[in-house]
Amino acid sequence: MITEKIKSYSNFSQLQQDLKAGLISVKDLVNYYIGRIKAHQHLNAFLETFEAEALARAEEIQAKIDNGTGGKMAGMIIGLKDNISFKGHQMTASSKILEGYEAVYSATVVERILKEDAIIIGRLNCDEFAMGASNETSYYGPVKNYVDETRVSGGSSGGSAVAVQAGLCFASLASDTGGSIRQPAAFCGVFGLKPTYSRVSRYGVVAYASSFDQVGPIAKSVEDIALILEVIAGKDSHDATSSDVPVPNYSQLIAGEVPKKKIAYIEETLHAEGLDPEIKANVLAQIEKLKEQGHTVEPVSFEYLEYVVATYYILTTAEASSNLARYDGVHYGYRSPESKDLISTYKKSRSEGFGDEVKRRIMLGTFVLSAGYYDAYYSKAQKARRLIKEKMDHILEDYNFIITPTTPTPAFPIGEEITDPMVMYLADIFTVGASLAGLPAISLPSGENKQGLPLGIQIIGRRFKEENLLAFSKCIHKL
Ligand code: GLN
């Protein structure tokens, strides 16, 4: 009975009403999700659950709800990607090098959701240091897609997406550097938002590529995405790059009718090599639906599409090579038992502690930053980034939104693409553009292919205009 009730909520405000009316308790919710996590351990989405703590907190939050002082997220059960710090809890970035590491402070996003009475139920598997598009680079193994367990979850936030897809928690927090929220959301048929760069504090989040990284929500409705964003966004004195643009009440602003909009779709994305024909047909059908609703949808040309993946990988590996220098076997995390002196401590701890993909990126990043190649690669990629950003901004002067497929293919079989990094990197072709430009982008469920695999559609919006992006997202329905 309770189980059916919990399953029936399509957004948090319905659940919150029932909590306030006493029809369901916070403890029921925690027990329900703990039960589901245990029954679905083979999906490998959760690396750890905080059962006792969550149950204790459920009592506290229940008391607040009962006396009318519960916060905006009172009773929301959240899973946390394993690269976001939660004081006193382990955080490994799914890497051997951080095995056993306990966070000494909480990320600002964690502080903020706790202040609004969310309950964190556990930490979620991801690609090692958020580097990957299938969750297969995790030291703890791949996450299985709930729709087809032989297929990947997408990545790097595979655990965060599958946890929501399989109903193991209400919503999750993840990070997105080049698609890590949007791509797994698309593969799992859920909603995932990468906010404008600097909209959300990065304090306490494991740094991969600092000029790209953003934290965002994965959930089952646009309304829930809006609510969570409203809580986590905003200036933070601990992150100098966080923006002081005021945070609107996203959850209220998205209600009501959506005025007619002008939307661009990028011609080149629909002719991209390797684009699955069913995804192409799905996007074209969505475009038709939008036109039927009275929106203007027009093709535009984005001649840089073939350069976005290269630009992204040069810049992010460069930033990663510097960010990951701190894992040296000295300060914290894994130290090789073979260490004899300083140099062997560095060399052996890093060689044994990092996985292959992370090492590949550190080497690539070090190479593109090296004196002889800096101008040929790093400087050039910076220039390309500028052109890509200007072009996207230019399109968004004329149009309210840009619409693209989120991914070129649906979820692929586990083991199929991991052997070829180039193939894997191309999985990011449609998501890295917004990351290079720092623009907000959301992936929305757009239906299924003939095999029943989820398909996603991406909407990119204007800088700091998440309220418009989210309001418009409600015009997109599963086909
Ligand atoms: N797949 C991309 C990469 O491996 C994106 C990862 C991310 O957004 N963290 O870099």
Side-chain angles (χ1 to χ4, degrees):
M1 163 70 184
I2 294 259
T3 306
E4 288 317 306
K5 205 169 193 32
I6 297 176
K7 276 192 187 151
S8 72
Y9 299 117
S10 55
N11 62 47
F12 187 62
S13 70
Q14 297 171 353
L15 167 57
Q16 220 173 20
Q17 264 175 21
D18 281 4
L19 280 167
K20 284 181 185 157
L23 298 175
I24 190 164
S25 73
V26 186
K27 204 168 152 198
D28 290 336
L29 290 168
V30 173
N31 281 327
Y32 168 82
Y33 288 118
I34 291 285
R36 284 197 63 86
I37 294 169
K38 286 186 179 153
H40 296 87
Q41 240 150 14
H42 62 285
L43 296 174
N44 205 19
F46 275 89
L47 295 177
E48 186 186 357
T49 46
F50 311 137
E51 183 174 346
E53 185 184 338
L55 281 168
R57 195 166 151 81
E59 306 244 330
E60 268 173 56
I61 308 290
Q62 186 67 54
K64 282 186 161 188
I65 293 174
D66 293 345
N67 69 21
T69 59
K72 283 183 188 175
M73 290 173 79
M76 196 188 284
I77 313 296
I78 294 276
L80 209 58
K81 184 175 178 179
D82 191 32
N83 64 349
I84 303 175
S85 308
F86 182 16
K87 189 175 177 177
H89 300 77
Q90 281 188 42
M91 181 192 55
T92 71
S94 292
S95 179
K96 179 179 175 184
I97 212 157
L98 279 174
E99 203 174 14
Y101 170 77
E102 208 173 87
V104 288
Y105 60 90
S106 285
T108 298
V109 290
V110 166
E111 298 273 5
R112 289 187 177 172
I113 63 167
L114 292 179
K115 197 161 163 256
E116 292 298 339
D117 295 333
I119 296 180
I120 299 175
I121 200 158
R123 61 192 170 90
L124 295 159
N125 202 347
C126 59
D127 276 299
E128 185 178 3
F129 284 100
M131 297 175 185
S134 65
N135 214 116
E136 292 168 289
T137 74
S138 168
Y139 177 57
Y140 302 101
V143 177
K144 294 176 179 160
N145 197 304
Y146 187 52
V147 166
D148 176 348
E149 294 179 8
T150 66
R151 290 180 185 262
V152 301
S153 54
S156 66
S157 316
S160 301
V162 168
V164 175
Q165 176 195 31
L168 312 183
C169 55
F170 191 87
S172 59
L173 286 188
S175 67
D176 187 311
T177 303
S180 277
I181 289 177
R182 294 161 282 160
Q183 188 253 21
F187 279 10
C188 295
V190 293
F191 298 74
L193 171 76
K194 179 199 87 74
T196 306
Y197 180 75
S198 80
R199 179 69 298 186
V200 177
S201 167
R202 291 180 292 111
Y203 181 70
V205 181
V206 175
Y208 159 17
S210 310
S211 75
F212 294 77
D213 300 342
Q214 268 297 283
V215 174
I218 294 183
K220 276 196 165 150
S221 73
V222 175
E223 289 82 358
D224 297 338
I225 295 274
L227 174 64
I228 299 170
L229 180 66
E230 186 174 307
V231 170
I232 62 175
K235 183 69 189 165
D236 172 21
S237 58
H238 292 303
D239 174 1
T241 64
S242 65
S243 168
D244 52 16
V245 170
V247 179
N249 283 329
Y250 298 112
S251 55
Q252 278 158 35
L253 287 170
I254 65 166
E257 274 289 292
V258 181
K260 301 299 167 238
K261 298 287 181 187
K262 255 185 100 180
I263 301 127
Y265 67 91
I266 298 175
E267 190 90 59
E268 287 82 353
T269 59
L270 297 182
H271 301 119
E273 205 184 313
L275 175 65
D276 179 276
E278 284 186 77
I279 294 190
K280 180 174 176 174
N282 180 276
V283 174
L284 289 171
Q286 286 288 7
I287 290 172
E288 281 316 306
K289 285 261 173 228
L290 290 172
K291 285 182 182 164
E292 279 167 27
Q293 291 174 41
H295 302 290
T296 305
V297 194
E298 292 171 351
V300 295
S301 179
F302 180 66
E303 63 274 30
Y304 302 127
L305 187 67
E306 59 179 310
Y307 302 108
V308 293
V309 171
T311 306
Y312 169 82
Y313 276 93
I314 291 170
L315 295 176
T316 54
T317 55
E319 293 188 27
S321 72
S322 147
N323 272 328
L324 271 59
R326 71 190 74 174
Y327 307 102
D328 55 6
V330 176
H331 293 91
Y332 41 71
Y334 177 78
R335 178 178 300 167
S336 168
E338 309 286 309
S339 305
K340 291 191 180 63
D341 50 21
L342 188 64
I343 297 298
S344 69
T345 302
Y346 287 166
K347 280 192 177 166
K348 290 194 186 295
S349 304
R350 286 169 69 81
S351 302
E352 294 162 20
F354 288 132
D356 287 349
E357 182 59 27
V358 174
K359 283 188 223 174
R360 179 181 296 120
R361 295 194 191 201
I362 292 173
M363 286 189 275
L364 198 59
T366 308
F367 173 75
V368 298
L369 287 173
S370 60
Y373 294 98
Y374 186 93
D375 286 340
Y377 294 106
Y378 186 73
S379 294
K380 202 164 182 179
Q382 288 282 37
K383 290 176 192 153
R385 182 181 199 177
R386 165 63 72 95
L387 290 173
I388 291 162
K389 175 180 174 292
E390 283 176 357
K391 178 71 192 185
M392 292 186 83
D393 282 343
H394 187 69
I395 297 173
L396 287 167
E397 277 166 23
D398 290 337
Y399 295 91
N400 301 96
F401 308 105
I402 301 171
I403 189 166
T404 78
T406 308
T407 59
T409 67
F412 40 86
I414 293 174
E416 193 176 84
E417 298 196 1
I418 191 72
T419 47
D420 187 344
M422 275 307 289
V423 173
M424 191 67 89
Y425 296 171
L426 282 169
D428 304 327
I429 183 158
F430 302 138
T431 48
V432 294
S435 307
L436 285 158
L439 294 167
I442 190 165
S443 180
L444 306 163
S446 185
E448 279 123 39
N449 73 2
K450 290 199 191 85
Q451 277 173 281
L453 299 173
L455 305 177
I457 191 147
Q458 175 179 240
I459 321 266
I460 303 169
R462 292 178 180 160
R463 222 168 283 284
F464 295 110
K465 292 288 177 222
E466 277 85 353
E467 61 277 25
N468 296 342
L469 178 64
L470 294 169
F472 178 70
S473 295
K474 293 196 302 174
C475 298
I476 304 278
H477 300 284
K478 278 192 188 181
L479 294 174

